[in-house]
Amino acid sequence: MIDLHTVATANGYKASIMLEEVGLPYTVREYDLVKGENFTPEFLSLNPVGRLPAIVDHDVSGDTDGKPLSVYGSAAILIYLAEKTGQLLPRTTRARAKTFEWVGIVSGDVGPAYSGQFVFNVVAQEKIPYAIELYNRLCLRMVATLEQQLAKTAYLVGDEYTIADVIAYPVATVSMKRFPGNLDAHPNLARWATEIGARPAVQRGMKVPR
Ligand SMILES: N[C@@H](CCC(=O)N[C@@H](CS)C(=O)NCC(=O)O)C(=O)O
C-alpha cells in the first residue's frame, strides 16, 4: 500500500494521476496549507521541505530492511513509481533520457514559471509591473516550447505516452488555463491535452483529493 500526501493543485494531481495510471492501491491524506498542516513534525519527518505531494511506500520492492520509503516531489514520485512498476518510462537510452529531460523541463522550468506568474498576478497585494511582465513573458515562452514539441510528436517524447506527459498535463490544464492566451492559441498542445484528458486514469487522478 502507498500513502499519498497531497493537495488539490497541479503538483498534487501529477502524483495522483501517476498512481491511477500504474494501478497501485493507495490511501489519500489531504493537507490544508493555510492551516500549516504541512509543517507538523510528522510530515516534516517524511519530507524536510514540508511541501506536497509526497508518498510513503509500505511495500518497497528490492529492499530488504522492510521499512516504509518516503518520496517527496512530483518528479521523484513519477520516476520512482515508473521504475517500481516498469510503466510509462521508455527502455531505450535515447527515449529514456529525453523523458527525463522533459520531466526536468516541466518541473524545473514550466511549473515554476506558472507559479511565479500566479503569485505576482493574482496573490500579491502589491502589483509589481517588472515581476508581472517577467513572468508573463516566461510563461509565453514555456507554452510555446510545449507547443513546438507537440507539433513534431504525438506525445512529449515521440509516439509513446510517458511520465513526461503525466507531469505536464496538470500544468497545461490547471496552470496554463489561468493565463491569458491559453490552450486555444496552441492547437497542438490543445490536441494533446484533449487526448490525455480522455484517459480514465487521468480523469480519476484529477479528482484526488477533490
Ligand atoms: N517541486 C515540487 C513543488 C511542490 C510544491 O510547490 N508544493 C506546494 C503545493 S503545489 C506546497 O506544498 N506549498 C506549501 C509550501 O511551500 O509551504 C513538486 O514538483 O512537487
Side-chain angles (χ1 to χ4, degrees), residues 7 9 11-12 14 33 38-39 50-53 72-75 107:
V7 275
T9 65
N11 285 323
K14 294 167 188 173
L33 299 180
N38 50 319
F39 294 119
R51 290 183 141 185
L52 286 303
Y72 157 69
S74 55
S107 59

Side-chain angles (χ1 to χ4, degrees), residues 87-166:
Q87 296 181 60
L88 304 188
L89 194 53
R91 297 204 181 281
T92 64
T93 301
R94 184 177 299 275
R96 205 174 171 90
K98 287 292 160 191
T99 303
F100 292 141
E101 181 179 51
W102 279 106
V103 167
I105 290 170
V106 174
S107 59
D109 299 288
V110 183
Y114 279 86
S115 301
Q117 194 270 345
F118 182 65
V119 166
F120 287 111
N121 278 268
V122 181
V123 183
Q125 297 285 312
E126 186 194 351
K127 302 297 177 208
I128 307 165
Y130 176 81
I132 291 172
E133 173 73 3
L134 181 79
Y135 276 98
N136 283 354
R137 256 191 286 118
L138 192 55
C139 287
L140 288 174
R141 191 171 143 201
M142 293 301 141
V143 76
T145 302
L146 295 185
E147 172 65 17
Q148 279 158 23
Q149 180 63 15
L150 291 165
K152 291 186 280 187
T153 54
Y155 299 102
L156 282 172
V157 184
D159 293 333
E160 201 177 334
Y161 176 63
T162 70
I163 53 172
D165 302 293
V166 173

Side-chain angles (χ1 to χ4, degrees), residues 18 21-23 78 81-83 85-89 91 163:
M18 185 64 183
E21 286 285 6
V22 299
L78 267 57
L81 293 174
E83 291 194 325
T85 62
Q87 296 181 60
L88 304 188
L89 194 53
R91 297 204 181 281
I163 53 172

